[in-house]
């Protein structure tokens, strides 16, 4: 388990919580796990990975950049083979291609960013007795303006929020305080923000 808060990071392995202190990792703002790597997001758009199955070791050459649009990073998620890196005006999708020291390669990008990092969640949706994985988040357009709650359909976002929810979120004066969570009940999946 990796935890990021206020530029500091911790890893819990074998029931022991250890604060990360590797000088090769700048202050992270977000962390996700994919394919045995902890992926640490940096506000300026850089992305670092831990050693494989070793959350406390950072190789100074094991980094990439979300730079299709130079807007930095806000949040991340994992959906199947996709490492999703979202900034305030854009989102990139990367796949693990097995290269070293940086294992990921961009495969797609969209002109929708993240309005509130705490809103981005991977979700398993059940529909017509089948299921699929997606990501839901409070999104922005390519200018950085709030545009709605979006759900990924492949690499295309679909707006799922009604206008009254959009008005409430647009009026929020502290977007970093926005949080979301999911739950399921009787086969229905709920995204709550």
């Amino acid at each position: 388990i990796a935890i990021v808060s206020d530029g500091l990071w911790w890893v819990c392995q074998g029931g022991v919580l250890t604060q990360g202190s590797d000088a090769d990792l700048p202050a992270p703002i977000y962390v996700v796990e994919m394919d045995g790597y902890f992926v640490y997001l940096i506000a300026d758009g850089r992305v670092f990975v831990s050693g494989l199955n070793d959350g406390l070791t950072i190789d100074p050459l094991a980094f990439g950049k979300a730079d299709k649009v130079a807007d930095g990073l806000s949040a991340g998620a994992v959906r199947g083979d996709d490492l999703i890196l979202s900034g305030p005006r854009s989102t990139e999708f990367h796949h693990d291609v097995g290269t070293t020291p940086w294992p990921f390669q961009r495969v797609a990008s969209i002109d929708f960013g993240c309005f509130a990092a705490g809103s981005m969640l991977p979700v398993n949706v059940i529909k017509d007795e089948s299921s699929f994985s997606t990501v839901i988040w409070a999104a922005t357009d390519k200018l950085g303006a709030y545009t709605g709650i979006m759900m990924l359909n492949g690499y295309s976002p679909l707006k799922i929020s009604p206008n009254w929810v959009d008005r409430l979120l647009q009026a929020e004066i502290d977007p970093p305080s926005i949080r979301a969570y999911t739950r399921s009940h009787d086969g229905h999946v709920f995204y709550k923000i």
Side-chain angles (χ1 to χ4, degrees), residues 120-139:
M120 183 172 272
L121 292 176
V123 179
N124 290 319
V125 176
I126 300 168
K127 184 177 179 184
D128 300 328
E129 298 184 25
S130 64
S131 67
F132 62 94
S133 295
T134 188
V135 171
I136 300 175
W137 79 107

Side-chain angles (χ1 to χ4, degrees), residues 18-182:
T18 305
Q19 184 172 354
S21 60
D22 195 315
D24 294 321
L25 181 63
I29 60 163
Y30 211 92
V31 62
V32 297
E33 185 279 331
M34 183 170 184
D35 297 343
Y37 298 103
F38 285 125
V39 182
Y40 295 97
L41 284 62
I42 312 302
D44 67 5
R46 290 180 292 166
V47 184
F48 287 78
V49 295
S50 70
L52 187 60
N53 299 316
D54 179 4
L56 291 169
T57 303
I58 306 295
D59 179 338
L61 301 176
F63 78 94
K65 194 156 174 107
D67 59 1
K68 175 85 179 189
V69 175
D71 61 338
L73 286 171
S74 304
V78 173
R79 176 194 61 174
D81 292 335
D82 293 317
L83 169 62
I84 301 169
L85 305 172
S86 192
R89 297 174 305 161
S90 68
T91 298
E92 295 186 8
F93 303 86
H94 293 243
H95 284 179
D96 183 348
V97 293
T99 55
T100 58
W102 175 246
F104 297 101
Q105 178 179 9
R106 182 177 55 233
V107 295
S109 66
I110 56 175
D111 289 332
F112 288 88
C114 184
F115 181 71
S119 72
M120 183 172 272
L121 292 176
V123 179
N124 290 319
V125 176
I126 300 168
K127 184 177 179 184
D128 300 328
E129 298 184 25
S130 64
S131 67
F132 62 94
S133 295
T134 188
V135 171
I136 300 175
W137 79 107
T140 57
D141 62 19
K142 64 183 177 181
L143 299 175
Y146 173 80
T147 191
I149 304 296
M150 300 291 186
M151 179 176 77
L152 283 175
N153 179 18
Y155 296 127
S156 299
L158 299 172
K159 186 174 185 289
I160 61 171
S161 55
N163 291 335
W164 68 269
V165 169
D166 293 337
R167 286 190 297 274
L168 288 173
L169 287 173
Q170 284 175 313
E172 178 59 52
I173 58 172
D174 185 23
S177 70
I178 294 172
R179 299 285 182 268
Y181 67 96
T182 63

